[in-house]
Amino acid sequence: GAPSRDADEDLAGLRAAGVTVQAAAVDVADARQLAGALRPGGAAPPVGGVFHLAGVLEDALVTDLTETAVMRAFAGKGIGAWNLHMLTLDQPVEFFVLFSSLAGLIGSPGQGAYAAASAFLDALARHRAAVGLPALSIDWGTWSGDGLAAGGVERLAARGVLPLDPDTGIELLGEAVTNGAAWLAAAGFSLELLHQAGAGPAARQLFAGLLPAGRPGEPSGRDLVLAAAPAERRQVLRQLLTGEVARVLGAERAAVHPNVPLQELGFDSLMAIELRNRLEAGLRIRLSATLVYAHPTISDMADALLAKVVPATPAAAAPEPAEPAEPAEPAVLADLDLSGLSDDEVAHLLERELEAFDLDGER
């Protein structure tokens, strides 16, 4: 695109100071267009450095991504970076700076294509460094202001990734360029919020030893449920769920009714993943990404989660046989009479079978 009015003013100031400035609007994913801009003919000056900031967001869950959507996200960021790499191999480049994203490092719900393109930039920088070429990929968090991810700044801040003000971002950029590393992350974090929001597996691994286990003396959600009397555990879990759902929605607790489907309250697929992550962190259990759809209300979800946090004992599930049974292979769903079970009970049994399969690949 053409320079903005503010950019034009800055360029005019540079020209007034005696700097030769050329602006060209080209598609960096088009190698021919880019070559024409870098080498316009005649006595074109050599390329002494590269800053690559192109990017396009494609909001979608991985299951909904199409090849066209992936390529839209990948073209400017990934292919553009590769074209810049190839077209400057014979140039006296002193720095080659790629603006990547934290999404490629720790993931970001709904940004699978953008995260993949960002990870490509990180890999390209490491490749260049390995062959002795200048390279730096910066995995940026969000910036305040009208940036690419401006619409998601508030949601990311609630999950612990705080926006950088532009002055701080520029200072970090200066430090990164002189650091000597080929791959860095630069972002604002609240580790407490990151923990409370239920950081994903990549974030938990990256920040191992830094994420708090909780405020001193504050029990986790699992602790609260197990500490309650058996008859009160379901109500305690419902209260915990109401609070988590309200946080994800950014609503008051009073607006969250336990028997109203979450989708009617405004839940979307990204919120569903965020709630799952929060519950996994607080209850310390593995949960399916389809949790919200399989159990659409807080009341339904409380029943399903309680069965995971406090599993039924074998004695409570079935009476002991009158005579000892012969040793047998572990039961599978096909061996059981499911006719008297509810849909939720069948789903619970299936989930247990799948978890056992995950842990024992021979079953």
Side-chain angles (χ1 to χ4, degrees), residues 135-151:
L136 169 62
S137 183
I138 306 175
D139 291 352
W140 290 106
T142 55
W143 287 39
S144 59
D146 299 327
L148 186 63

Side-chain angles (χ1 to χ4, degrees), residues 251-274:
E252 298 293 330
R253 290 178 64 101
V256 180
H257 193 281
N259 294 317
V260 174
L262 298 186
Q263 286 182 289
E264 292 184 19
L265 296 174
F267 251 66
D268 58 25
S269 54
L270 299 186
M271 291 179 178
I273 292 175
E274 183 174 343

